[in-house]
């Protein structure tokens, strides 16, 4: 009785083939959808028609190094927050790990610094400067009648609840709209990320007519992920890629402002607010 022919080493060959097919080099990387909006110099369409900017390049580098493929989708910031909360978007860039976001999102280690400021127009010659009497943070926060704008979905100062003048700021969907209203003197002040404000004001030739009244914060920002998009183990890989980034340069340092909402000033504000 003849035995059926069985090629020698067939199971070893199959095992080697299986291990080869499962090797990391052949596995498709996980695609993560990343929100972006026109926010130079952090994200914009360049002269060659390609998406570019500091946040875009850093996010590409971080996610690719961690084994992901980023896919960018243009969305307003407030809409991006809503979609991350409802697991319909994977990543939002330049996010602060605020307590209200911790319940629905995971955050990477910080990857750059961000500075939010309160900007105003120079006073009209011959007219009173309404900002001059507001020479302390407490006076500014308890002043009446200031018409201030801020971007919808942002909370640029942790002590917002202790600062009524800023807490009551009108929300807008776009930074450009706020700059237009400020230059038209339809807003007394605007709360904005400093690097974008400087970029846009320079484009308009208006940087010489604007003052920084208050530095709200200068603190690090992170990548924000929908909780079901990445695991804690994947966050660790992302953080390793962030730690490998070169040290940031001083180009993105905050401006000189009249007032500074530093921790010491915030403590003073809280005590003053209780007296009020």
């Amino acid at each position: 009785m003849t035995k059926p022919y069985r090629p020698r080493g067939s199971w070893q060959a199959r095992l080697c083939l299986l291990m080869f097919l499962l090797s990391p080099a052949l596995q498709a990387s996980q695609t993560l959808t990343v929100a972006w909006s026109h926010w130079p110099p952090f994200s914009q369409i360049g002269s060659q028609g390609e998406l570019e900017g500091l946040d875009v390049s850093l996010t590409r580098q971080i996610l690719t190094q961690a084994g992901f493929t980023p896919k960018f989708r243009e969305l307003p910031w407030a809409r991006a927050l809503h979609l991350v909360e409802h697991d319909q978007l994977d990543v939002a860039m330049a996010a602060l790990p605020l307590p209200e976001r911790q319940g629905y999102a995971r955050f990477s280690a910080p990857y750059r610094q961000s500075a939010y400021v309160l900007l105003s127009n120079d006073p009209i010659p011959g007219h009173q400067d309404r900002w001059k009497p507001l020479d302390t943070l407490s006076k500014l926060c308890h002043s009446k009648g200031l018409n201030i704008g801020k971007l919808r979905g942002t909370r640029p100062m942790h002590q917002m609840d202790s600062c009524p003048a800023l807490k009551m700021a009108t929300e807008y969907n776009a930074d450009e709209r706020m700059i237009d209203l400020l230059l038209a003197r339809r807003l007394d002040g605007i709360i904005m990320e400093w690097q974008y404000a400087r970029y846009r004001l320079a484009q308009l030739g208006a940087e010489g007519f604007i003052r920084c009244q208050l530095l709200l914060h200068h603190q690090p920002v992170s990548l924000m992920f929908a909780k079901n998009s990445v695991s804690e183990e994947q966050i660790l890989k992302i953080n390793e890629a962030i730690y490998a980034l070169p040290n940031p340069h001083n180009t993105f340092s905050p401006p000189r402002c009249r007032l500074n909402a530093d921790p010491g000033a915030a403590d003073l504000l809280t005590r003053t607010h209780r007296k009020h």
Side-chain angles (χ1 to χ4, degrees), residues 98-275:
L98 301 177
E100 58 267 29
R101 297 174 184 170
Q102 300 283 353
Y104 61 83
R106 303 182 198 272
F107 290 86
S108 73
Y111 69 92
R112 71 167 176 84
Q113 296 283 326
S114 172
Y116 269 80
V117 293
L118 173 61
L119 303 175
S120 73
N121 273 304
D122 278 343
I124 299 173
H127 289 68
Q128 183 180 3
D129 182 1
R130 70 175 305 167
W131 293 93
K132 188 175 181 180
L134 309 177
D135 55 1
T136 67
L137 183 58
S138 177
K139 287 180 181 178
L140 189 156
C141 284
H142 294 95
S143 61
K144 305 291 184 181
L146 282 177
N147 189 10
I148 296 174
K150 77 177 187 73
L151 187 66
R152 190 178 305 279
T154 60
R155 189 180 180 185
M157 188 172 85
H158 292 306
Q159 299 83 20
M160 288 287 281
D161 291 340
S162 301
C163 189
L166 301 185
K167 184 180 179 181
M168 299 303 294
T170 303
E171 294 193 327
Y172 293 87
N173 290 326
D175 286 316
E176 288 191 5
R177 174 63 175 161
M178 290 194 294
I179 289 178
D180 291 343
L181 292 174
L182 179 69
L183 295 176
R185 297 187 182 274
R186 292 171 60 187
L187 284 175
D188 299 315
I190 55 175
I191 298 171
M192 190 170 292
E193 214 286 334
W194 166 240
Q195 296 301 332
Y196 172 78
R198 183 171 70 170
Y199 173 91
R200 183 60 180 150
L201 290 169
Q203 276 191 326
L204 299 172
E207 66 268 41
F209 307 104
I210 298 298
R211 291 183 182 180
C212 181
Q213 298 293 339
L214 174 65
L215 174 63
L216 291 154
H217 76 68
H218 182 227
Q219 64 188 51
V221 293
S222 304
L223 296 176
M224 180 172 70
F225 299 85
K227 274 205 170 175
N228 291 331
S229 295
V230 293
S231 65
E232 288 294 341
E233 291 75 19
Q234 289 173 314
I235 288 288
L236 292 177
K237 287 186 178 180
I238 291 164
N239 288 345
E240 288 176 4
I242 291 172
Y243 299 145
L245 293 173
N247 290 329
H249 44 75
N250 293 327
T251 305
F252 296 95
S253 58
R256 297 177 68 89
C257 301
R258 238 173 30 100
L259 300 173
N260 190 340
D262 60 22
D267 292 341
L268 176 61
L269 171 62
T270 302
R271 291 197 298 271
T272 307
H273 182 66
R274 285 172 183 161
K275 291 178 184 178

Side-chain angles (χ1 to χ4, degrees), residues 6-69:
R6 292 178 182 171
R8 283 187 176 182
S10 61
W11 70 269
Q12 293 98 330
R14 289 174 185 172
L15 180 60
C16 291
L17 178 61
L18 179 62
M19 292 177 66
F20 177 72
L21 292 175
L22 292 178
S23 64
L26 292 183
Q27 292 185 58
S29 60
Q30 180 182 344
T31 298
L32 294 178
T33 304
V34 184
W36 77 276
S37 59
H38 181 70
W39 202 36
F42 301 108
S43 53
Q44 73 262 15
I45 300 296
S47 57
Q48 303 299 317
E50 295 184 354
L51 182 60
E52 61 183 28
L54 179 66
D55 277 340
V56 172
S57 62
L58 287 176
T59 301
R60 276 198 184 115
Q61 183 178 345
I62 293 164
L63 294 183
T64 302
Q65 184 68 29
F68 299 96
T69 299

